[in-house]
Amino acid sequence: MQRLKTAAQVTAAVRCNFLGFFKNPRIILTFLFSFILCFFLSDRAMMVADYYKAPMQALEPFIWTFGDAASILLCSLLLILLFIDLPKLSPFTPYLLLRMKKSRWLFAQLCYIFLVTILYMFYVLLITSLLCMQKTYAGNIWSKTAALLAYSQMGKKLSVPSTVKVMESTTPFSCSLQIMLLLVCYALTLSFLMLFFQMKIGKKAAVGAGLFYSLFGFLLNPEILAKILGKEEYEMYLVRRIAGWISPLNHATYGMHDFGYDALPSIQQSCMVFLLILAFLSLLSFHTLKKYNFSSFTGDF
């Protein structure tokens, strides 16, 4: 009975967060910018298909587009715009907090973030696939184009995560799900970091924390570090290993994982790292929530 009551309260809080979601100009603008981003980033997949004059599997454009750190970084910047209003405050919030524990309300914020992130990522996958649909097929088999990329230097130059090891160990559906999982985990930690700073300091601090989180990962990209440190590619093995473990953005990048020939984190280990970060931020957010001032819930939010 208690679990049903808790589930009902969390569901009510989540539904309250979604009120007016699809009519919000900021949300509409975010999804519009995401469409434009996918349009420009999918040119890489189209260029590969035109170069080899061969079809692609329907999910390969998504895999190739969001398999490198630069694309994930651009995608995460739109997530900052999407979650800039966290925590979701409304005139209903005091009523909800009177009828439920603050820990349940905080869990409802996490559920809201998770659902919005899933919606956003599926939207990105759908748009990326639709933009290239004239040159794709639906079968769960790697295309000839992917094989040609795996055995050539073009895939490496374009940061396309198509390697012989990947093609031997997984399928396009499985690979895309793994990339989706990494993106969702990264988005959850980014948005909960913003939630914590919003409650602790304010909206400007939340935006600054989100930008720093993304910039920190970008600067720890091995290619960027190589240019900053003036190192050659063969000298970057140790740096690549260290950056692969401590950079959130590298954890979210599919190509920066261990495929059997290096000491980078596996997909499962990266998910565990993200879960630990999320748990730590949740504890900080809950501690901050106990002292949070809810007396200003009288205006429009």
Side-chain angles (χ1 to χ4, degrees):
M1 191 68 180
Q2 184 65 27
R3 291 181 179 179
L4 290 176
K5 181 180 179 181
T6 300
Q9 290 176 341
V10 171
T11 302
V14 173
R15 290 180 61 185
C16 182
N17 285 353
F18 272 104
L19 291 176
F21 179 83
F22 295 103
K23 297 181 181 179
N24 190 323
R26 178 177 47 79
I27 302 299
I28 296 173
L29 191 63
T30 301
F31 279 85
L32 178 61
F33 283 156
S34 179
F35 176 84
I36 297 172
L37 177 65
C38 291
F39 177 78
F40 284 108
L41 292 179
S42 62
D43 280 349
R44 181 168 52 188
M46 294 300 294
M47 181 176 65
V48 170
D50 289 337
Y51 181 83
Y52 288 115
K53 299 186 184 302
M56 303 175 290
Q57 202 277 337
L59 295 174
E60 285 178 357
F62 171 77
I63 293 170
W64 297 344
T65 299
F66 291 96
D68 71 310
S71 299
I72 297 172
L73 176 64
L74 293 173
C75 187
S76 68
L77 293 178
L78 290 178
L79 286 170
I80 294 176
L81 179 62
L82 193 64
F83 292 119
I84 200 172
D85 61 341
L86 290 175
K88 298 286 289 186
L89 309 181
S90 73
F92 298 104
T93 306
Y95 172 77
L96 291 173
L97 289 171
L98 287 173
R99 297 180 62 88
M100 62 190 298
K101 296 180 180 178
K102 289 183 178 181
S103 58
R104 296 175 185 175
W105 181 82
L106 185 65
F107 181 69
Q109 304 306 305
L110 176 61
C111 293
Y112 167 77
I113 292 170
F114 177 76
L115 292 174
V116 172
T117 302
I118 290 291
L119 174 65
Y120 176 77
M121 292 306 171
F122 269 107
Y123 172 81
V124 168
L125 186 150
L126 178 64
I127 293 301
T128 307
S129 299
L130 289 177
L131 287 172
C132 304
M133 65 182 300
Q134 292 183 342
K135 298 186 178 182
T136 60
Y137 61 89
N140 190 23
I141 302 174
W142 291 106
S143 67
K144 180 181 177 181
T145 307
L148 291 170
L149 281 170
Y151 286 99
S152 69
Q153 291 296 315
M154 186 176 183
K156 185 176 181 180
K157 291 178 180 178
L158 294 175
S159 299
V160 173
S162 179
T163 64
V164 177
K165 189 68 178 179
V166 171
M167 295 177 66
E168 289 178 346
S169 61
T170 185
T171 62
F173 284 176
S174 177
C175 184
S176 61
L177 285 176
Q178 291 178 59
I179 292 176
M180 179 82 72
L181 177 63
L182 293 173
L183 289 173
V184 169
C185 289
Y186 180 77
L188 286 174
T189 55
L190 171 65
S191 53
F192 232 72
L193 178 69
M194 293 179 61
L195 173 65
F196 166 67
F197 274 90
Q198 170 78 315
M199 293 192 299
K200 187 69 174 181
I201 303 177
K203 182 176 293 186
K204 292 182 179 179
V207 175
L211 290 174
F212 176 80
Y213 187 74
S214 300
L215 183 61
F216 172 75
F218 178 73
L219 292 177
L220 286 180
N221 184 290
E223 295 181 0
I224 303 298
L225 285 175
K227 294 179 180 178
I228 295 176
L229 300 175
K231 300 286 186 179
E232 297 295 334
E233 181 66 23
Y234 67 89
E235 299 178 297
M236 291 298 295
Y237 177 72
L238 181 60
V239 175
R240 188 183 299 275
R241 288 178 57 183
I242 296 174
W245 279 98
I246 68 174
S247 168
L249 186 60
N250 285 333
H251 277 291
T253 305
Y254 185 77
M256 286 296 297
H257 288 85
D258 190 353
F259 296 113
Y261 53 84
D262 47 31
L264 292 171
S266 65
I267 301 293
Q268 293 81 2
Q269 288 171 332
S270 289
C271 291
M272 287 301 300
V273 169
F274 281 126
L275 288 176
L276 289 174
I277 295 174
L278 187 60
F280 177 68
L281 290 174
S282 298
L283 289 174
L284 290 179
S285 299
F286 180 70
H287 179 73
T288 304
L289 185 63
K290 292 180 179 179
K291 303 177 181 179
Y292 194 75
N293 182 17
F294 291 97
S295 62
S296 59
F297 287 18
T298 55
D300 296 330
F301 292 86

